[in-house]
């Protein structure tokens, strides 16, 4: 009887990125009739990978194997072949500290990352300075920018920044890379969704009227950016702080000895050579670098990229004469939530908006780091929608 009842449930997903596809799969596994609408012609959202010859993501992307999405994807056979950091490349992590290029991080930074859980109501810089001194606290905050995309991680909640610093610096590294870019993961999820009966409509932009019509027939999961959801739901309260970051993609003529990662401990900045774990991202003899340099309020992208170029000068010998391809962008409101001092993920916009509407994304009230927030919010949204209809979702 429950199966028959489940099949009568119609669930609509708005947005075909990682969170929207997760929601669609969860609902389909429970037997719901699912329709997914994506405004663009391609699925994936920020997880799309550019077509060759340089297979870039929208900024540096990694999949942490310590997160709940890793286990969920693996149980379903959805993880594509994954690249991990080769040992020889793991030895090529470099740190810009005190104006010099260093092969190892400061010892005090390593001790700081092993610290206990940090408090919510104290800025990270203050909390870390009590344990390692202010200079090292600043270095740790700048390192954490790789997982916050924020210009001043030291001002954020200590609990928020410390978790991201610890996850990003875990040994062995949690970061893994879908071979061929994140688009390979999206392709697997999309194929499974269609196999499971999900009706996928691309090039289909929802408006307030079509959303209201969909809600008449069943729950609706809005898996878009928070800004897009704010307009779609006509809800000005849908707002939460996020980062603003200059993105730089570089393809260089390959040269032995280039770092795998160059982390700036003197200012927020991160450069990663993605062809180190996955050479398929660029033609032979080419190195694909993706970098991010957080922007302070009002700071123009060009100024942040000037900082980035100085960092490249330190770590990538002769890079200016080796450039084959260069692309720049600004990620504004597209890098996930940050929690100001005194707040946690629980204070972000709620997943359940009432009246059969549910919100999914990386700025909503769900735990995790980076893509884990979108994943967790998607699972929780579908569980709540199905529970309201008296149906249990698969774990």
């Amino acid at each position: 009887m429950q199966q028959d009842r489940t099949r009568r449930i119609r669930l609509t997903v708005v947005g075909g990125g990682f969170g929207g596809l997760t929601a669609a799969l969860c609902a389909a596994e429970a037997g719901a009739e699912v329709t997914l609408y994506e405004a663009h012609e391609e699925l994936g959202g920020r997880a799309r990978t550019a077509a060759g010859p340089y297979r870039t993501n929208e900024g540096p992307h990694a999949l942490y194997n310590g997160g709940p999405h890793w286990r969920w994807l693996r149980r379903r056979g959805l993880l594509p072949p994954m690249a991990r950091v080769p040992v020889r490349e793991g030895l090529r992590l470099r740190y810009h500290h005190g104006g010099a290029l260093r092969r190892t991080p400061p010892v005090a930074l390593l001790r700081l990352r092993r610290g206990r859980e940090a408090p919510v109501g104290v800025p990270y810089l203050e909390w870390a300075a009590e344990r390692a001194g202010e200079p090292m606290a600043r270095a740790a905050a700048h390192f954490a920018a790789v997982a916050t995309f924020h210009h001043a991680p030291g001002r954020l909640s200590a609990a928020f920044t410390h978790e991201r610093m610890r996850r990003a610096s875990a040994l062995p590294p949690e970061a893994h890379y879908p071979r061929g870019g994140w688009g390979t993961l999206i392709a697997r999820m999309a194929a499974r969704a269609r196999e499971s009966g999900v009706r996928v409509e691309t090039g289909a932009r929802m408006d307030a009227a079509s959303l209201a019509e969909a809600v008449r027939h069943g729950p609706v999961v809005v898996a878009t950016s928070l800004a897009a959801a704010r307009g779609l739901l006509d809800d000005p309260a849908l707002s939460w702080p996020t980062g603003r970051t200059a993105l730089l993609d570089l393809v260089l003529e390959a040269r032995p000895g280039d770092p795998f990662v160059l982390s700036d401990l003197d200012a927020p900045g991160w450069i990663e050579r993605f062809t180190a774990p996955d050479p398929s991202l660029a033609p032979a003899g080419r190195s694909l670098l993706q970098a991010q340099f957080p922007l302070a309020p009002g700071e123009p992208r060009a100024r942040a990229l000037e900082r980035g170029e100085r960092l490249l000068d330190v770590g990538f010998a002769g890079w200016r004469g080796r450039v084959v391809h260069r692309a720049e962008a600004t990620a504004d409101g597209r890098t996930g939530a940050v929690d100001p001092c005194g707040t946690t993920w629980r204070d972000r916009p709620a997943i359940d908006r009432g009246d059969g509407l549910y919100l999914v994304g990386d700025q909503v009230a769900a735990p995790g780091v980076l893509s884990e927030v979108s994943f967790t919010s998607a699972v929780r949204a579908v569980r709540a929608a199905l529970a309201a209809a008296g149906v249990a979702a698969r774990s």
Side-chain angles (χ1 to χ4, degrees):
M1 291 297 293
Q2 185 185 62
Q3 183 70 12
D4 292 341
R5 183 182 180 188
T6 301
R7 290 192 182 281
R8 289 197 295 270
I9 296 171
R10 294 173 59 179
L11 185 139
T12 301
V13 178
V14 183
F18 181 59
L21 284 167
T22 299
L25 285 166
C26 285
E29 285 178 351
E33 297 178 14
V34 184
T35 303
L36 183 150
Y37 295 97
E38 166 55 46
H40 296 88
E41 295 298 332
E42 295 181 46
L43 298 172
R46 278 166 281 173
R48 284 194 294 265
T49 299
Y54 313 122
R55 299 188 60 76
T56 56
N57 301 308
E58 185 179 336
H61 278 37
L63 191 69
Y64 284 13
N65 67 353
H69 54 350
W70 181 278
R71 297 184 293 273
W72 188 89
L73 292 164
R74 185 174 58 187
R75 283 199 302 269
R76 289 159 175 78
L78 292 173
L79 275 180
M82 301 296 294
R84 62 174 61 191
V85 181
V87 173
R88 66 181 183 280
E89 296 293 353
L91 298 174
R92 291 177 181 161
L93 272 68
R94 299 292 183 263
Y95 305 86
H96 180 236
H97 188 221
L101 186 66
R102 303 179 184 276
R103 291 178 174 270
T104 57
V107 174
L109 188 147
L110 297 176
R111 287 200 299 264
L112 185 59
R113 73 163 302 279
R114 294 197 298 265
R116 58 182 174 79
E117 292 185 4
V120 169
V122 177
Y124 177 76
L125 188 61
E126 178 182 327
W127 176 81
E130 291 179 355
R131 286 150 182 80
E134 185 169 334
M136 193 49 53
R138 290 192 181 280
H142 293 153
F143 178 87
V146 64
T148 65
F149 295 86
H150 191 266
H151 70 286
R155 300 178 192 170
L156 303 175
S157 165
F160 175 87
T161 299
H162 186 57
E163 179 189 16
R164 279 145 186 77
M165 193 275 277
R166 292 182 67 252
R167 296 284 301 277
S169 61
L171 292 174
E174 287 191 33
H176 288 62
Y177 308 85
R179 292 192 182 276
W182 270 62
T184 60
L185 171 60
I186 293 301
R188 286 192 170 213
M189 296 178 72
R192 178 66 58 82
R194 291 185 171 99
E195 292 168 2
S196 302
V198 176
R199 177 185 167 197
V200 177
E201 299 284 347
T202 57
R205 186 176 297 276
M206 296 281 280
D207 57 19
S210 54
L211 185 75
E213 177 64 20
V215 172
R216 288 182 59 244
H217 299 286
V220 174
V221 173
V222 177
T224 67
S225 70
L226 204 56
R230 185 163 57 244
L232 188 60
L233 301 181
D234 191 23
D235 187 351
L238 288 181
S239 180
W240 192 260
T242 184
R244 180 170 162 264
T245 303
L247 302 177
L248 176 63
D249 298 340
L250 277 181
V251 178
L252 306 179
E253 294 176 354
R255 176 174 293 182
D258 278 347
F260 163 46
V261 163
L262 178 49
S263 172
D264 196 349
L265 304 184
D266 290 345
W270 182 273
I271 303 170
E272 188 164 348
R273 183 164 52 90
F274 275 73
T275 41
D278 184 5
S280 73
L281 299 178
R286 300 286 186 261
S287 292
L288 170 62
L289 280 60
Q290 293 204 269
Q292 59 110 337
F293 308 100
L295 293 159
E299 182 180 15
R301 184 172 76 198
R303 186 177 300 168
L305 292 177
E306 287 175 4
R307 290 192 278 113
E309 290 182 356
R310 290 194 294 271
L311 189 62
L312 283 160
D313 288 338
V314 171
F316 290 82
W319 72 272
R320 296 173 189 271
R322 296 193 278 144
V323 175
V324 177
H325 169 80
R326 176 172 177 150
E328 304 170 2
T330 300
D332 191 355
R334 296 176 62 81
T335 55
V338 298
D339 293 339
C341 186
T343 66
T344 75
W345 61 267
R346 295 177 177 85
D347 301 305
R348 301 173 196 161
I351 294 171
D352 190 342
R353 310 307 299 176
D355 300 323
L357 285 167
Y358 300 86
L359 194 62
V360 166
D362 57 12
Q363 286 184 262
V364 302
V369 303
L370 303 174
S371 59
E372 295 170 12
V373 180
S374 291
F375 167 80
T376 306
S377 61
V379 172
R380 293 187 175 189
V382 171
R383 285 178 177 171
L386 297 180
V391 177
R394 176 185 168 191
S395 62

